[in-house]
Amino acid sequence: MSPRLLGLLVAVLVFAADQASKLWILHGLVVSVGDVIPVTPFLNLVLVWNRGISYGLMQQEADLGRWGLVFLTVAAVVLLSVWLARARGRLTAASVGLVLGGAAGNLVDRVVYGAVVDFVHLHAGDLSWYVFNIADAAIVAGVIGLLWESFRPRQSGDAAKKPH
Protein backbone atom coordinates (compact mmCIF):
# COMPACT_ATOMS: atom_id res chain seq x y z
CA MET A 1 0.00 0.00 0.00
CA SER A 2 1.37 3.39 -0.94
CA PRO A 3 2.01 5.92 1.85
CA ARG A 4 -0.62 8.27 0.43
CA LEU A 5 -3.27 5.55 0.35
CA LEU A 6 -2.33 4.55 3.91
CA GLY A 7 -2.71 8.15 5.09
CA LEU A 8 -6.05 8.51 3.34
CA LEU A 9 -7.30 5.24 4.85
CA VAL A 10 -6.21 6.38 8.33
CA ALA A 11 -7.96 9.73 7.84
CA VAL A 12 -11.21 8.07 6.73
CA LEU A 13 -11.14 5.56 9.61
CA VAL A 14 -10.47 8.29 12.21
CA PHE A 15 -13.24 10.47 10.75
CA ALA A 16 -15.72 7.57 10.73
CA ALA A 17 -14.88 6.42 14.28
CA ASP A 18 -15.05 9.99 15.57
CA GLN A 19 -18.41 10.78 13.98
CA ALA A 20 -19.90 7.41 14.97
CA SER A 21 -18.84 7.87 18.60
CA LYS A 22 -20.33 11.38 18.71
CA LEU A 23 -23.61 10.18 17.20
CA TRP A 24 -23.70 7.42 19.83
CA ILE A 25 -23.16 9.92 22.66
CA LEU A 26 -25.76 12.36 21.32
CA HIS A 27 -28.43 10.00 20.02
CA GLY A 28 -27.72 6.52 21.38
CA LEU A 29 -26.61 7.05 24.94
CA VAL A 30 -28.45 10.39 25.18
CA VAL A 31 -26.25 12.17 27.70
CA SER A 32 -27.11 15.66 28.91
CA VAL A 33 -24.45 18.32 29.37
CA GLY A 34 -22.72 17.74 32.69
CA ASP A 35 -23.99 14.18 33.25
CA VAL A 36 -21.17 11.92 34.43
CA ILE A 37 -21.21 8.25 33.46
CA PRO A 38 -18.38 6.33 35.19
CA VAL A 39 -16.87 3.70 32.88
CA THR A 40 -13.73 2.75 34.81
CA PRO A 41 -12.04 4.15 37.94
CA PHE A 42 -10.07 6.48 35.63
CA LEU A 43 -12.51 7.16 32.76
CA ASN A 44 -15.90 8.88 32.65
CA LEU A 45 -18.19 9.86 29.83
CA VAL A 46 -19.36 13.45 30.17
CA LEU A 47 -20.84 15.62 27.42
CA VAL A 48 -19.15 18.98 26.87
CA TRP A 49 -19.77 21.39 23.99
CA ASN A 50 -16.39 22.91 23.10
CA ARG A 51 -16.86 26.21 21.30
CA GLY A 52 -13.13 26.90 21.26
CA ILE A 53 -10.01 25.09 20.20
CA SER A 54 -7.89 22.54 22.06
CA TYR A 55 -8.10 22.57 25.85
CA GLY A 56 -11.11 24.89 25.61
CA LEU A 57 -9.00 27.87 24.56
CA MET A 58 -10.49 30.72 22.53
CA GLN A 59 -14.14 29.96 23.36
CA GLN A 60 -16.40 31.49 20.69
CA GLU A 61 -19.98 32.21 21.64
CA ALA A 62 -20.80 34.48 18.68
CA ASP A 63 -21.45 33.24 15.15
CA LEU A 64 -18.54 35.30 13.80
CA GLY A 65 -16.09 33.43 16.05
CA ARG A 66 -17.65 30.07 15.22
CA TRP A 67 -17.39 30.63 11.47
CA GLY A 68 -13.88 32.02 11.90
CA LEU A 69 -12.86 28.72 13.51
CA VAL A 70 -14.66 26.84 10.72
CA PHE A 71 -12.66 28.82 8.13
CA LEU A 72 -9.36 28.12 9.94
CA THR A 73 -10.20 24.43 10.17
CA VAL A 74 -11.09 24.25 6.47
CA ALA A 75 -7.74 25.86 5.68
CA ALA A 76 -5.97 23.33 7.92
CA VAL A 77 -7.79 20.42 6.22
CA VAL A 78 -6.75 21.72 2.78
CA LEU A 79 -3.11 22.15 3.84
CA LEU A 80 -3.05 18.72 5.49
CA SER A 81 -4.49 17.19 2.31
CA VAL A 82 -1.69 18.76 0.27
CA TRP A 83 0.88 17.49 2.79
CA LEU A 84 -0.62 14.00 2.59
CA ALA A 85 -0.53 14.07 -1.22
CA ARG A 86 3.19 14.83 -1.04
CA ALA A 87 4.03 12.37 1.75
CA ARG A 88 6.56 9.69 0.83
CA GLY A 89 7.04 7.89 4.13
CA ARG A 90 4.47 5.64 5.75
CA LEU A 91 4.89 7.19 9.22
CA THR A 92 4.48 10.70 7.85
CA ALA A 93 1.44 9.70 5.80
CA ALA A 94 -0.22 7.85 8.69
CA SER A 95 0.50 10.72 11.09
CA VAL A 96 -0.87 13.35 8.70
CA GLY A 97 -3.87 11.06 8.15
CA LEU A 98 -4.52 11.00 11.91
CA VAL A 99 -4.43 14.81 12.11
CA LEU A 100 -6.48 15.20 8.92
CA GLY A 101 -9.20 12.77 10.02
CA GLY A 102 -9.41 14.42 13.44
CA ALA A 103 -9.56 17.93 12.01
CA ALA A 104 -12.29 16.89 9.57
CA GLY A 105 -14.29 15.26 12.37
CA ASN A 106 -14.18 18.37 14.53
CA LEU A 107 -14.93 20.54 11.49
CA VAL A 108 -18.19 18.67 10.88
CA ASP A 109 -19.19 19.27 14.51
CA ARG A 110 -18.57 23.01 14.23
CA VAL A 111 -20.64 23.26 11.06
CA VAL A 112 -23.51 20.99 12.18
CA TYR A 113 -23.74 21.75 15.92
CA GLY A 114 -21.89 25.05 16.30
CA ALA A 115 -19.42 23.41 18.71
CA VAL A 116 -17.28 20.29 19.01
CA VAL A 117 -18.72 17.30 20.87
CA ASP A 118 -16.27 16.23 23.60
CA PHE A 119 -17.11 13.38 25.97
CA VAL A 120 -14.07 11.36 27.17
CA HIS A 121 -12.77 12.40 30.60
CA LEU A 122 -9.61 10.76 31.96
CA HIS A 123 -8.75 11.22 35.63
CA ALA A 124 -6.69 9.66 38.41
CA GLY A 125 -7.11 10.80 42.00
CA ASP A 126 -6.95 14.59 41.99
CA LEU A 127 -5.43 14.65 38.49
CA SER A 128 -8.08 15.44 35.90
CA TRP A 129 -7.36 15.63 32.16
CA TYR A 130 -9.48 17.77 29.89
CA VAL A 131 -12.56 16.31 28.18
CA PHE A 132 -11.82 15.23 24.61
CA ASN A 133 -13.02 13.03 21.74
CA ILE A 134 -11.58 10.53 19.26
CA ALA A 135 -10.67 13.33 16.83
CA ASP A 136 -8.64 15.10 19.52
CA ALA A 137 -6.84 11.88 20.47
CA ALA A 138 -6.03 11.20 16.81
CA ILE A 139 -4.67 14.73 16.34
CA VAL A 140 -2.40 14.33 19.37
CA ALA A 141 -1.22 10.90 18.16
CA GLY A 142 -0.58 12.31 14.68
CA VAL A 143 1.46 15.22 16.04
CA ILE A 144 3.50 12.79 18.16
CA GLY A 145 4.13 10.69 15.03
CA LEU A 146 5.24 13.75 13.07
CA LEU A 147 7.54 14.86 15.90
CA TRP A 148 8.99 11.35 16.13
CA GLU A 149 9.57 11.37 12.38
CA SER A 150 11.26 14.78 12.51
CA PHE A 151 13.75 13.66 15.15
CA ARG A 152 14.61 10.33 13.55
CA PRO A 153 18.05 10.21 12.00
CA ARG A 154 17.90 10.31 8.22
CA GLN A 155 19.34 7.34 6.40
CA SER A 156 22.12 8.04 3.96
CA GLY A 157 20.62 8.73 0.58
CA ASP A 158 17.42 10.28 2.00
CA ALA A 159 18.72 13.78 1.33
CA ALA A 160 19.42 12.87 -2.29
CA LYS A 161 15.85 11.62 -2.92
CA LYS A 162 13.67 14.02 -4.82
CA PRO A 163 9.89 14.30 -4.29
CA HIS A 164 7.65 12.81 -6.94
Side-chain angles (χ1 to χ4, degrees):
M1 176 181 306
S2 75
R4 292 173 198 106
L5 184 57
L6 171 65
L8 183 60
L9 179 63
V10 167
V12 168
L13 289 174
V14 165
F15 178 82
D18 176 65
Q19 289 299 296
S21 67
K22 291 170 180 175
L23 288 172
W24 175 69
I25 285 293
L26 294 173
H27 304 291
L29 194 56
V30 188
V31 177
S32 297
V33 172
D35 288 352
V36 176
I37 300 172
V39 177
T40 70
F42 58 86
L43 180 121
N44 294 336
L45 298 179
V46 57
L47 176 61
V48 174
W49 290 101
N50 183 357
R51 288 175 168 69
I53 59 172
S54 295
Y55 305 103
L57 299 172
M58 295 175 51
Q59 291 293 313
Q60 303 296 318
E61 297 298 327
D63 276 347
L64 180 62
R66 168 192 174 193
W67 291 108
L69 289 176
V70 166
F71 174 77
L72 288 173
T73 308
V74 167
V77 166
V78 168
L79 292 172
L80 288 163
S81 298
V82 170
W83 190 357
L84 179 59
R86 295 178 178 176
R88 294 182 312 182
R90 293 173 61 82
L91 178 57
T92 299
S95 297
V96 171
L98 285 166
V99 178
L100 177 59
N106 284 342
L107 173 62
V108 167
D109 288 9
R110 282 194 201 291
V111 171
V112 173
Y113 306 116
V116 174
V117 179
D118 288 336
F119 59 91
V120 179
H121 178 226
L122 293 175
H123 57 88
D126 290 335
L127 178 64
S128 177
W129 196 245
Y130 73 106
V131 180
F132 62 97
N133 57 41
I134 290 175
D136 298 335
I139 290 168
V140 169
V143 169
I144 290 169
L146 291 169
L147 287 171
W148 176 263
E149 178 83 341
S150 72
F151 290 115
R152 281 185 5 181
R154 301 266 183 226
Q155 295 181 7
S156 63
D158 278 355
K161 292 181 184 175
K162 295 183 180 175
H164 299 26

